[in-house]
């Protein structure tokens, strides 16, 4: 899979990246050895021609010359997996994991999908950044035209309905988490005075900047960004982003810290048909259960306005079902201290905010 979770065969066909299934910079596309590179190129051709077993054999021969080549090990795992040799794929990804120090190749995720490692609590930032950098150029066309991606439209619709119901034309400050190329921002722009976007992928941010939709853009991991950046906001959106975040409670807690009381949070999640709280899928994306997600929202101080089942997009020709959620940050609860209660009538003690 070139783009786990998003690549139908057509997306792969249109990819500018010559080696499917690997997240690599140009430098890493070469092993550093001409003969190993040639063998890898033939392996790629065999894979494209529908013979993953032969591709895996040839790639193993390339790795005899360049045994420490991370992109080669990743491809060997991919070819073996496609050929049904899961034990062989796991062996290749184990070797990759030892060399994948910044998690850029997602070796642990790939091992976890086959039960060969514990699922991480979230997707490695290095993997997300490399994955979407690879895909940034083609993202809008692949998502909208080929994968029938609908999340920004669904999220924006819920935000607009909530603002209309309150008689508000616009909100002052909004933050779009995992803004990508700006598909969500384009839909929100009319209803927001100041729109910020944050994303791990410099390539995606460059596309968003080119569109000129956001007032401010940052390359950062979203929970770190929420913890560090300035004043409160009125609206937070996250369209098709939490599928890379794994455990949601820390994410919701970080958002609650930044949202004004009464502020809105709108996002999508993929839902697990088996209703497990949080599970890593073979697409290398996380799915969540409706109940666990809504409980986590309540625990972080949100009230759910709506949580609708929706078809989010397609993956390998199949519709992906999920939930589009709109929640409102609760006002802080005012708790009177015992001293305040006894002196209520004299108004001498201020209530504490929690
Ligand atoms: C499927 S894309 C969706 C992009 C955009 N929200 C849209 O609807 O078009 C997911 C985006 O989330 C970003 N992302 C994933 N995890 C992130 C994290 N922890 N911090 C910041 N960005 C993240 C990725 O880099 C990617 O651009």
């Amino acid at each position: 899979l070139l783009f786990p979770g998003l690549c139908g065969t057509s997306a792969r066909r249109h990819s500018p990246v010559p080696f499917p299934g690997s997240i690599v910079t140009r430098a890493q596309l070469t092993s550093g050895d001409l003969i190993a590179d040639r063998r890898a190129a033939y392996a790629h051709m065999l894979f494209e021609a529908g013979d993953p077993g032969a591709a895996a054999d040839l790639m193993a021969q390339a790795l005899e010359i360049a045994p420490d080549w991370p992109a080669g090990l990743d491809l060997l795992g991919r070819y073996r997996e496609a050929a049904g040799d899961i034990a062989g794929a796991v062996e290749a990804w184990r070797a990759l994991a030892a060399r994948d120090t910044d998690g850029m190749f997602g070796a642990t995720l790939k091992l976890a999908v086959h039960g060969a490692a514990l699922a991480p609590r979230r997707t490695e930032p290095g993997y997300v950044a490399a994955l979407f950098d690879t895909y940034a150029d083609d993202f809008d066309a692949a998502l909208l035209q080929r994968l029938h991606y609908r999340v920004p439209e669904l999220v924006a619709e819920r935000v607009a309905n909530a603002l209309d119901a309150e008689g508000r034309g616009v909100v002052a400050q909004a933050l779009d988490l995992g803004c990508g190329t700006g598909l969500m921002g384009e839909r929100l722009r009319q209803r927001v005075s100041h729109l910020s976007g944050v994303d791990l992928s410099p390539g995606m941010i460059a596309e968003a900047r080119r569109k000129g939709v956001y007032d401010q853009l940052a390359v950062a991991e979203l929970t770190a960004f929420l913890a560090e950046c300035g004043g409160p906001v009125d609206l937070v959106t996250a369209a098709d982003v939490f599928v890379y975040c794994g455990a949601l409670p820390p994410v919701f807690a970080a958002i609650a810290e930044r949202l004004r009381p009464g502020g809105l949070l709108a996002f999508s999640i993929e839902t697990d048909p088996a209703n497990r709280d949080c599970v890593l899928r073979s697409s290398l994306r996380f799915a969540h259960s409706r109940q666990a997600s809504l409980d986590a929202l309540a625990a972080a101080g949100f009230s759910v306005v709506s949580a609708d089942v929706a078809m989010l997009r397609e993956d390998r020709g199949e519709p992906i079902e999920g939930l589009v959620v709109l929640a409102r940050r609760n006002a802080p609860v005012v708790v009177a201290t015992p001293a305040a209660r006894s002196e209520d009538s004299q108004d001498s003690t201020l209530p504490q905010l929690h």
Side-chain angles (χ1 to χ4, degrees):
L1 305 179
L2 172 66
F3 191 95
L6 293 181
C7 67
T9 46
S10 55
R12 186 156 55 212
R13 208 169 40 242
H14 290 265
S15 163
V17 176
F19 291 95
S22 68
I23 306 307
V24 285
T25 64
R26 271 186 195 289
Q28 288 162 314
L29 283 174
T30 172
S31 65
D33 180 282
L34 196 64
I35 298 175
D37 283 357
R38 270 204 200 124
R39 288 180 183 173
Y42 282 128
H44 171 63
M45 278 165 48
L46 287 167
F47 182 76
E48 286 291 283
D51 192 347
D57 288 346
L58 206 49
M59 190 50 112
Q61 290 174 32
L63 284 157
E64 282 169 11
I65 304 170
D68 290 322
W69 182 27
L73 287 166
D74 190 29
L75 288 165
L76 179 62
R78 287 279 175 208
Y79 297 159
R80 284 178 172 169
E81 181 188 53
D85 175 11
I86 302 304
V90 163
E91 184 189 280
W93 285 326
R94 283 221 168 101
L96 173 64
R99 292 157 181 84
D100 188 17
T101 42
D102 61 359
M104 179 178 158
F105 288 90
T108 310
L109 283 177
K110 291 165 189 170
L111 289 168
V113 158
H114 292 292
L118 285 178
R121 273 181 68 75
R122 63 169 187 176
T123 314
E124 284 287 350
Y127 174 72
V128 173
L131 174 67
F132 284 95
D133 275 353
T134 303
Y135 212 62
D137 288 353
D138 194 38
F139 185 84
D140 289 9
L143 269 280
L144 297 176
Q145 288 156 30
R146 302 200 283 278
L147 301 180
H148 309 293
Y149 178 57
R150 298 180 58 223
V151 177
E153 166 193 338
L154 296 170
V155 167
E157 198 176 275
R158 273 135 191 94
V159 170
N161 289 344
L163 297 184
D164 289 346
E166 292 169 20
R168 289 169 89 184
V170 293
V171 296
Q173 298 274 349
L175 173 58
D176 185 22
L177 301 175
C179 62
T181 58
L183 295 175
M184 185 72 250
E186 287 175 309
R187 299 246 172 204
L188 285 179
R189 187 64 265 192
Q190 298 284 321
R191 310 300 300 255
V192 177
S193 299
H194 187 277
L195 178 60
S196 302
V198 59
D199 200 286
L200 268 169
S201 156
M204 298 291 268
I205 286 285
E207 287 296 315
R209 183 163 288 123
R210 205 177 45 74
K211 288 183 185 165
V213 172
Y214 294 84
D215 299 296
Q216 207 171 16
L217 284 164
V219 176
E221 198 286 319
L222 66 89
T223 47
F225 183 83
L226 285 160
E228 281 164 19
C229 63
V233 298
D234 308 283
L235 169 66
V236 171
T237 52
D240 204 31
V241 178
F242 294 161
V243 289
Y244 299 100
C245 289
L248 293 180
V251 178
F252 291 154
I255 295 169
E257 287 291 310
R258 281 296 311 282
L259 259 184
R260 254 183 246 288
L264 293 169
L265 165 63
F267 63 93
S268 65
I269 50 170
E270 288 183 16
T271 40
D272 177 38
N275 247 352
R276 288 163 294 184
D277 288 358
C278 176
V279 63
L280 179 65
R281 303 186 125 172
S282 60
S283 61
L284 306 185
R285 295 156 66 95
F286 288 92
H288 298 87
S289 81
R290 177 191 181 98
Q291 196 55 51
S293 306
L294 300 191
D295 288 350
L297 274 174
F302 288 93
S303 298
V304 174
V305 178
S306 60
D308 306 318
V309 176
M311 290 304 161
L312 307 178
R313 65 185 160 79
E314 288 179 7
D315 186 9
R316 283 160 275 187
E318 296 295 319
I320 296 294
E321 190 176 281
L323 214 54
V324 179
V325 180
L326 182 70
R328 193 181 291 283
R329 166 100 158 80
N330 298 332
V333 179
V334 179
V335 181
T337 61
R341 250 178 258 126
S342 66
E343 295 170 24
D344 251 359
S345 54
Q346 295 158 37
D347 255 1
S348 60
T349 310
L350 288 173
Q352 289 184 344
L353 297 182
H354 293 268

